Amino acid sequence: MFDRLDDTIIAVGTPSGHGMRGVVRASGSAAREVASILFAPHFPVDWNQIASPIRFHGRLRFDADMPSLPAELLVFPSPRSYTREDVVEFHTVAAPAVLSAMIDRTIEQLGESGRSCGCVRRAEPGEFTARAFFRGAMDLSQVEGVLALIRARSDAQLRAAQDWREGRLAADLKNIRQELIEMRSCVEASLDFADEPTNFISPEDLHRRIARISLQMRELLERANDSDYGQKLPRVMIVGPPNSGKSTLMNRLSGLNRAVCSPVPGTTRDLLTAVALWSPIEVELVDTAGVEVWGDPGEVSSRTFLERELPAADLICYVLDLQYPPLSRQVIPCLEPHSGRVLYVANKADLCPTENISQALLEFRKFCSASVQAISALRGDGIDALRRAILTRLTTHDQPLVEHRVVMNARHREALRCAVLALDQARARLANLDDTSCEAELVASDLRVALTALDELFGEVTTEDLLQRIFADFCIGK
Ligand SMILES: Nc1nc2c(ncn2[C@@H]2O[C@H](COP(=O)(O)OP(=O)(O)OP(=O)(O)O)[C@@H](O)[C@H]2O)c(=O)[nH]1
Ligand SMILES: [Mg+2]
């Protein structure tokens, strides 16, 4: 895809399946031709005269065997588009058959067999964003921001990806890069004019400036969140005695009928997961096998297993059974080291008179010094409040990402580390020197290494392999 930039590319820009709105997008020099083939506006339009972004209402042009559906067409003339090329976007009903027929019809008329160069072909994954990169609309770290945006699964990830896409990392490093360029020029000048009495920059001055920017880079590295942060969904483990209603609760919270529930204790034998699509974050719920609270020797293995799994939980939802008071006797000792991450619920409230519930909750608070919420997983009582409580506990953990607002992936870190190492080397050379020109050649080379590392970060210097790796993770249509 990197060597066929003259082609016009076309793809469906919305997820596959039926829905309210489907988008087909084309980018390249033949985009206006694509518009004229697929779209009949309500009023005549001279496609070549469009000079600024504009929206048209009309109908899709199809052969007699396809219905003529209403559609909107958005035209973004070069360079005022995502890719900086001419871009056209058709918005119509999200019927997969219609969207793919639009693409087939275009390729039939403007595809490779029809013309020798500048043909229209299907876009490869990430190719629209690749065009934006090659046409200078974004740097490589912003490209990765687009990818992070597509993959974001929580508000915090979305905000971080947005900062990234808008080039926040680039902004933080822009001044550093500029200063490196200036310093390199001074050092190279002292090299070129070594015989002159002029001292372009003193070793102390250079040492001080390098130390300052190296410190700034280190701080940035420390401040940055990993881009993998939050890719893993927060994990809520549902734990408790056998038959207390853990599987029923997991089904209720996820809205899925994933776990088998039955009155026979010991129904769940393994870990079972389901993703709850909540807002502002998605959560991974994990149903577990019941642990025998009164120490049945046969259940030792399930406790050992649980002890091993509990540290991986972001939150433990411990389900007590209101039918068997006192509730405090249902708590297992291996919860103790995780007490800060436990949320207690007392289930089967529908089976107990209100005064018994109050009594049981009071007793629990007294003996366990922890609060507990009464719920009925079967009937749904108290479930909204429980969902809110879970989200509150989890989103408090999510906070640091919002505060730091700098996100890096492994490639960014590697580039920055490489730059910092090169600067440290330069500083070591400069220590105890009277004249910059003595070591100028080597210092200039260190500064060049640091600069190349930063340029690689933004894609000023790239290899085909690196680009293939980044764009391979994209979906088609983006
Ligand atoms: N009345 C009532 N019954 C419930 C409630 N929650 C669960 N049950 C019932 O209790 C029984 C056990 O429920 P499960 O969800 O299978 O319990 P579990 O904790 O997953 O059980 P194990 O997997 O065996 O440890 C089933 O018959 C459920 O219908 C509830 O809130 N009220
Ligand atoms: Mg179960």
Side-chain angles (χ1 to χ4, degrees):
M1 87 173 142
F2 305 127
D3 54 357
R4 295 183 62 189
L5 290 172
D6 286 341
D7 295 347
T8 295
I9 49 173
I10 187 163
V12 177
T14 35
S16 57
H18 299 267
M20 283 296 285
R21 181 167 282 233
V23 173
V24 168
R25 185 178 294 133
S27 172
S29 55
R32 295 175 196 232
E33 268 183 88
V34 177
S36 67
I37 285 174
L38 291 181
F39 188 76
H42 288 325
F43 302 102
V45 172
D46 183 347
W47 300 110
N48 292 321
Q49 292 302 315
I50 299 170
S52 52
I54 187 163
R55 175 197 305 263
F56 297 103
H57 294 274
R59 302 189 81 79
L60 293 179
R61 261 186 221 278
F62 270 132
D63 299 331
D65 53 342
M66 283 289 259
S68 163
L69 294 165
E72 280 180 11
L73 172 70
L74 280 71
V75 181
F76 302 93
S78 164
R80 296 173 67 183
S81 70
Y82 181 72
T83 59
R84 293 219 174 145
E85 303 175 330
D86 276 350
V87 169
V88 292
E89 255 184 38
F90 305 87
H91 291 226
T92 185
V93 288
V98 170
L99 304 181
S100 71
M102 289 168 71
I103 293 179
D104 291 347
R105 184 179 157 88
T106 309
I107 306 250
E108 223 173 81
Q109 300 203 15
L110 303 174
E112 262 167 295
S113 53
R115 28 173 84 199
S116 53
C117 69
C119 67
V120 181
R121 62 173 168 81
R122 288 169 207 279
E124 290 180 38
E127 201 167 1
F128 287 92
T129 308
R131 293 273 168 114
F133 168 68
F134 284 117
R135 306 281 185 220
M138 56 176 80
D139 67 40
L140 210 50
S141 74
Q142 287 173 294
V143 167
E144 289 163 315
V146 173
L147 188 59
L149 203 66
I150 295 169
R151 290 178 166 178
R153 297 181 84 172
S154 72
D155 280 9
Q157 284 175 27
L158 204 58
R159 278 191 296 270
Q162 187 66 6
D163 281 349
W164 199 357
R165 198 190 69 77
E166 285 170 359
R168 197 183 151 94
L169 181 60
D172 279 342
L173 286 170
K174 207 167 134 208
N175 294 340
I176 290 179
R177 184 171 177 273
Q178 194 50 41
E179 190 152 358
L180 273 178
I181 292 173
E182 275 168 30
M183 282 192 290
R184 200 184 80 180
S185 314
C186 288
V187 176
E188 282 175 353
S190 19
L191 207 61
D192 291 343
F193 299 96
D195 299 335
E196 309 281 329
T198 328
N199 199 354
F200 288 89
I201 187 163
S202 70
E204 304 80 53
D205 202 16
L206 193 57
H207 190 278
R208 193 176 39 75
R209 284 172 72 179
I210 292 180
R212 183 163 44 78
I213 58 173
S214 150
L215 181 68
Q216 281 174 16
M217 285 202 217
R218 277 182 214 285
E219 279 173 358
L220 200 62
L221 269 169
E222 252 171 51
R223 197 154 56 87
N225 280 110
D226 220 304
S227 67
D228 288 342
Y229 176 90
Q231 289 296 332
K232 202 169 73 43
L233 292 183
R235 181 170 246 234
V236 178
M237 286 187 84
I238 305 176
V239 182
N243 222 32
S244 60
K246 302 176 294 299
S247 302
T248 310
L249 180 60
M250 162 143 129
N251 287 347
R252 169 70 64 182
L253 286 173
S254 65
L256 302 168
N257 233 354
R258 178 68 53 87
V260 177
C261 310
S262 100
V264 182
T267 304
T268 309
R269 305 302 307 169
D270 257 323
L271 295 187
L272 193 69
T273 61
V275 173
L277 305 175
W278 294 344
S279 176
I281 53 169
E282 292 176 12
V283 171
E284 183 185 47
L285 301 169
V286 185
D287 185 18
T288 60
V291 267
E292 197 52 66
V293 255
W294 291 284
D296 174 352
E299 289 298 328
V300 169
S301 65
S302 80
R303 275 209 221 176
T304 321
F305 179 71
L306 198 63
E307 273 171 48
R308 219 178 43 228
E309 290 295 325
L310 284 180
D314 294 291
L315 192 66
I316 298 158
C317 183
Y318 196 83
V319 186
L320 306 152
D321 193 332
L322 273 168
Q323 289 183 113
Y324 305 106
L327 298 177
S328 52
R329 288 193 58 208
Q330 297 180 32
V331 178
I332 45 172
C334 69
L335 271 190
E336 184 58 35
H338 311 285
S339 53
R341 286 182 289 130
V342 183
L343 198 69
Y344 290 99
V345 291
N347 191 29
K348 307 195 186 179
D350 56 297
L351 293 181
C352 306
T354 318
E355 58 278 14
N356 291 13
I357 297 175
S358 313
Q359 182 69 31
L361 300 190
L362 214 65
E363 178 276 337
F364 185 81
R365 284 194 194 109
K366 203 161 129 205
F367 284 96
C368 296
S369 321
S371 63
V372 54
Q373 317 180 210
I375 60 161
S376 166
L378 195 67
R379 230 170 45 181
D381 309 8
I383 295 297
D384 282 343
L386 175 60
R387 187 183 299 118
R388 280 197 298 277
I390 293 176
L391 282 172
T392 306
R393 296 282 285 265
L394 291 175
T395 46
T396 324
H397 287 291
D398 227 8
Q399 216 53 41
L401 183 63
V402 184
E403 284 166 12
H404 285 96
R405 309 281 279 192
V406 183
V407 185
M408 287 186 205
N409 62 18
R411 192 180 71 80
H412 302 148
R413 283 179 190 283
E414 195 44 47
L416 267 191
R417 274 197 204 106
C418 174
V420 168
L421 282 180
L423 293 182
D424 286 351
Q425 185 116 321
R427 272 167 57 200
R429 289 188 210 286
L430 286 164
N432 312 318
L433 271 191
D434 295 331
D435 186 350
T436 310
S437 62
C438 299
E439 291 274 326
E441 219 153 315
L442 295 173
V443 174
S445 143
D446 294 332
L447 294 176
R448 255 196 306 276
V449 172
L451 263 170
T452 309
L454 290 192
D455 286 346
E456 275 174 10
L457 200 155
F458 298 120
E460 303 273 332
V461 181
T462 52
T463 61
E464 175 110 346
D465 180 45
L466 172 67
L467 294 178
Q468 294 283 10
R469 244 184 302 137
I470 291 175
F471 287 106
D473 284 341
F474 272 81
C475 45
I476 292 178
K478 196 64 198 161

